[in-house]
Amino acid sequence: RKWGKKKLRSMLPYLIKKYTIKSTQPKTFDVIMPSADELQDEIDALNAQITKQGSLVRELKKQSSSNAEDIASAVEQLKKLKIEAETLRKQKEVADPTKAFNRKVFDELILRKMFIVPSFEIHGGVKGLFDLGPPACALKAAMVDVWRKHFVLAESMLEMECTCLTPEVVLKTSGHVERFTDLMVKDPVSGECFRADKLLEDVIDELLEANPDMPNEEREEHLRVQRQADAFSPAELDEQLAKYGCKAPSGEPYGSSFPFNLMFKTSIGPEGTSVGYLRPETAQGLFVNFRRLLDANSQKMPFAAAQIGLGFRNGKCY
């Protein structure tokens, strides 16, 4: 009051400096960490991106017009997403250790509660075949109901239910008979088969892990071979397996790689003259019914069609 506003403003820096209490304690800052639920939301979003990026990588590898640089860039982006997701998973475990995933306990739980059980268990079972128990059947029915309401009803899709048995002519036209294959190699002693491209990928991973100081140029060359593993011809794949010294569990070199069709082949009718396959995917039934679906939609374009069902693939189960 005595000084007046003008003088007080001029004296303010001096007063602040004079009457400020200096602390000898180090400054601390509160860091707000996201909760476990928030981290899970981020992980779910990243998983969706990983699935999409993985599909892109597979498409690029299938296309003969794709160059190595495009594939390398897509694979690198996929790796970055996976690393980011793994980092978030570790942060989530730190944020809430009680929610850390325990695979052993999880497997025991789903077996004990009969969510999923090995098929034909009393006869020794078969790798890759499982039965859904009562809880899983109820969960599946609920998921299908949500899916149908979200897509078929809300989006006015045309739903179909097509047969699981497909005549050979359909799958010849689509290219599945010739190209729906994996390259396999066989242990000459035991006769056990293995996916050749996976063996090549694994042996390159082992090589890179064993040589962390490998020059970048050499490392990139190995990674380029690894990225192209499922695009090599049988002769090229045999050459690469020999180059990296891949050996069968028996210690002998693998036999020559050969194409193995992933579809289950059967015959239609008692004569056995009509060849068929269990459908490898659910889309074919919709494709071949396109004209009738268009008629059902009053010749209006565009329209969407949907189907829920089983697809059958005969592959190597580990």
Side-chain angles (χ1 to χ4, degrees):
R1 288 177 185 171
K2 188 191 299 183
W3 287 349
K5 292 181 180 180
K6 190 173 181 180
K7 187 171 182 179
L8 183 61
R9 277 198 298 270
S10 65
M11 292 291 291
L12 194 58
Y14 166 76
L15 295 173
I16 291 174
K17 185 177 180 181
K18 182 177 180 180
Y19 294 104
T20 297
I21 299 173
K22 293 183 179 180
S23 174
T24 58
Q25 297 296 323
K27 293 182 179 180
T28 59
F29 301 92
D30 292 330
V31 179
I32 301 174
M33 296 294 291
S35 66
D37 291 336
E38 290 172 336
L39 287 169
Q40 185 60 52
D41 289 341
E42 292 185 42
I43 292 169
D44 291 340
L46 272 175
N47 285 338
Q49 293 181 48
I50 289 170
T51 301
K52 186 177 179 180
Q53 188 67 19
S55 298
L56 175 62
V57 170
R58 287 190 292 273
E59 279 299 314
L60 286 173
K61 287 183 176 181
K62 286 179 183 177
Q63 295 171 5
S64 56
S65 59
S66 300
N67 59 53
E69 290 183 3
D70 291 340
I71 296 173
S73 176
V75 170
E76 191 62 31
Q77 179 63 24
L78 180 61
K79 286 182 178 179
K80 287 180 180 178
L81 289 171
K82 287 182 177 179
I83 291 171
E84 189 177 350
E86 184 60 30
T87 303
L88 288 177
R89 272 190 283 271
K90 290 178 180 178
Q91 289 180 12
K92 182 188 170 189
E93 290 178 7
V94 172
D96 188 353
T98 62
K99 292 187 178 181
F101 181 70
N102 188 319
R103 181 58 183 265
K104 185 174 182 294
V105 172
F106 175 76
D107 288 345
E108 291 173 352
L109 175 67
I110 62 174
L111 283 172
R112 188 171 65 252
K113 296 295 185 180
M114 205 179 173
F115 274 84
I116 299 175
V117 293
S119 301
F120 317 111
E121 189 175 15
I122 62 173
H123 293 285
V126 179
K127 285 183 179 180
L129 301 184
F130 296 89
D131 297 331
L132 300 183
C137 285
L139 178 61
K140 178 186 173 183
M143 292 173 66
V144 169
D145 181 60
V146 171
W147 175 87
R148 185 170 281 115
K149 287 176 179 176
H150 181 77
F151 289 103
V152 179
L153 299 179
E155 300 293 336
S156 299
M157 290 185 175
L158 306 176
E159 185 178 3
M160 290 191 68
E161 186 173 330
C162 304
T163 175
C164 291
L165 193 58
T166 309
E168 185 179 40
V169 63
V170 176
L171 295 168
K172 267 190 174 180
T173 304
S174 66
H176 282 77
V177 173
E178 292 182 3
R179 297 192 296 272
F180 199 69
T181 58
D182 279 340
L183 290 177
M184 311 291 288
V185 288
K186 190 177 289 187
D187 185 328
V189 177
S190 67
E192 187 178 1
C193 292
F194 301 88
R195 272 187 62 176
D197 60 322
K198 294 299 180 186
L199 289 173
L200 181 58
E201 291 174 359
D202 290 344
V203 76
I204 292 175
D205 279 337
E206 292 171 5
L207 177 65
L208 296 178
E209 287 177 10
N211 298 276
D213 299 326
M214 183 183 294
N216 286 336
E217 188 175 341
E218 185 181 348
R219 177 179 290 271
E220 283 302 316
E221 177 59 24
H222 291 310
L223 290 172
R224 185 191 66 78
V225 173
Q226 188 183 52
R227 288 191 291 265
Q228 295 286 343
D230 60 355
F232 287 128
S233 67
E236 291 171 335
L237 203 47
D238 289 341
E239 182 183 344
Q240 293 295 338
L241 290 174
K243 173 185 171 183
Y244 284 96
C246 286
K247 300 286 185 180
S250 63
E252 297 294 322
Y254 286 104
S256 300
S257 57
F258 59 92
F260 173 73
N261 197 292
L262 301 176
M263 296 188 295
F264 287 95
K265 189 175 183 179
T266 186
S267 59
I268 303 173
E271 298 83 4
T273 55
S274 180
V275 177
Y277 295 88
L278 296 180
R279 65 183 184 189
E281 57 192 25
T282 55
Q284 288 299 325
L286 301 178
F287 295 154
V288 297
N289 280 293
F290 175 80
R291 184 179 298 174
R292 290 190 177 276
L293 287 168
L294 183 60
D295 290 340
N297 202 48
S298 304
Q299 294 289 318
K300 294 178 182 177
M301 289 283 285
F303 67 86
Q307 179 178 194
I308 295 178
L310 297 175
F312 302 86
R313 298 189 182 187
N314 188 17
K316 174 75 176 177
C317 296
Y318 296 92

